[in-house]
Amino acid sequence: MVRELRTETGAAMMDCKKALSACDGDVQAARDHLRAQGLKTAAKKAERETSEGRVFAWISDDHKLGALIAVSCETDFVARTDDFEAMLTSLAKHVADNDPADTAALYAQDWAGDEPTVDEYIKQVIGKLGENIKVISLQRFANAAGRIDSYIHHTDKMGALVNVTTDADAEKAAAFGRDLCIHIGFHNPPYMTRDQVSDEDVARERAVFAEKVKDKPEAMQEKIVDGMMSKFYGEVVLPEQPWVKDDKSTVTKQLKAQLGDGASITAFARFDIA
């Protein structure tokens, strides 16, 4: 009976034995007992700091759907366990299939397993692994007219997800998608377009540059500042950044060269566990 309960729940052998003893050998009652204990454990650990964890991606076989999640825990040891890996896979696929608006919405969603909600599923994992666990970031992309690609750094603590619209062949699109994810991981662009940069940030940068060129001929100052602003945008706007594999080129130039004029970067996300 202990073996049966352990196989079904994944709980430790002694926990299963104690649960069966407390429930007079009733396996179903022992299963409920373990679930209740898991919720109690999660409640006790809810305030504990989570400075470790992993970034994980799930991509559909046809690369039309994908999700990226960042999940924190207390120790790297737990982050490397098979149980944590299984949780990451289940959660990332759930995000891809159910498209929660944010982490709060994710926790409230119905869960396909034994627990009624995602929140209770995560609490059961917390009870099993003995550490606080939090989903801290999530992103889901779908694109029937292109593909979704991802890259996870070898530390598993940083990852990127990209959504590219293209009709290029799969091999070319896959190669560019992976390189684009690596670029995003390395350069960490804050913006997709210039319009996303706030008016306050633009005004501040222009003021700084204007101060730098105030000794130049007045007729030239605005043109010089415009050039400086272009360089600024080239640092913070993804399509204008120097390409990670060739800093003489840009992301936009490489996109067109590799995938053709009709291709576009629809969206991107980058998460890390600091």
Side-chain angles (χ1 to χ4, degrees):
M1 291 171 68
V2 170
R3 184 167 56 248
E4 176 188 349
L5 188 59
R6 189 180 184 194
T7 300
E8 289 183 4
T9 65
M13 182 173 65
M14 287 306 299
D15 290 338
C16 292
K17 187 175 180 179
K18 289 177 181 178
L20 284 165
S21 178
C23 299
D24 297 324
D26 186 325
V27 175
Q28 180 59 54
R31 189 182 297 113
D32 294 339
H33 178 84
L34 286 171
R35 184 172 292 117
Q37 290 300 112
L39 295 176
K40 288 181 181 178
T41 300
K44 291 178 181 178
K45 298 180 183 297
E47 300 303 319
R48 286 165 59 165
E49 183 180 353
T50 56
S51 57
E52 296 291 337
R54 291 176 60 183
V55 177
F56 187 87
W58 181 90
I59 306 290
S60 63
D61 290 340
D62 62 3
H63 283 261
K64 302 299 183 185
L65 177 66
L68 185 72
I69 60 173
V71 181
S72 64
C73 60
E74 297 177 38
T75 66
D76 188 59
F77 174 79
V78 160
R80 299 295 173 185
T81 62
D82 291 341
D83 288 326
F84 199 84
E85 174 92 18
M87 178 195 65
L88 290 171
T89 303
S90 297
L91 287 174
K93 188 175 187 307
H94 176 95
V95 169
D97 291 340
N98 295 276
D99 193 19
D102 51 30
T103 56
L106 168 67
Y107 274 76
Q109 286 182 328
D110 293 340
W111 183 248
D114 293 334
E115 288 71 34
T117 64
V118 173
D119 182 38
E120 291 207 22
Y121 166 68
I122 294 172
K123 286 178 178 176
Q124 291 303 321
V125 178
I126 292 171
K128 183 177 180 180
L129 296 181
E131 289 192 4
N132 194 15
I133 294 170
K134 298 177 182 177
V135 180
I136 55 177
S137 303
L138 62 85
Q139 181 64 64
R140 181 248 197 200
F141 293 143
N143 191 341
R147 62 180 286 129
I148 313 301
D149 284 294
S150 66
Y151 167 75
I152 304 296
H153 192 255
H154 67 84
T155 63
D156 289 324
K157 292 186 176 182
M158 184 276 288
L161 189 73
V162 296
N163 182 351
V164 177
T165 298
T166 178
D167 58 4
D169 69 71
E171 186 175 350
K172 286 184 178 180
F176 178 80
R178 178 171 174 79
D179 285 347
L180 180 59
C181 285
I182 293 172
H183 172 100
I184 291 166
F186 181 76
H187 285 287
N188 193 16
Y191 308 108
M192 171 65 80
T193 67
R194 291 190 179 192
D195 290 342
Q196 292 175 343
V197 185
S198 70
D199 293 341
E200 293 79 5
D201 285 347
V202 171
R204 183 173 60 253
E205 293 297 323
R206 291 196 72 92
V208 170
F209 295 148
E211 180 66 21
K212 287 183 178 180
V213 302
K214 65 181 181 180
D215 295 331
K216 301 289 184 182
E218 188 173 347
M220 297 176 57
Q221 288 181 14
E222 185 173 355
K223 186 175 182 179
I224 296 173
V225 169
D226 287 343
M228 290 178 167
M229 286 301 297
S230 292
K231 185 176 180 180
F232 163 72
Y233 286 125
E235 294 173 352
V236 300
V237 177
L238 173 61
E240 301 184 41
Q241 287 183 323
W243 183 235
V244 68
K245 289 189 170 183
D246 177 9
D247 60 8
K248 305 300 182 185
S249 185
T250 66
V251 172
T252 293
K253 288 179 180 178
Q254 289 298 313
L255 173 72
K256 303 306 180 186
Q258 297 186 41
L259 301 185
D261 290 337
S264 64
I265 301 169
T266 305
F268 73 90
R270 180 189 184 278
F271 298 151
D272 58 25
I273 303 289

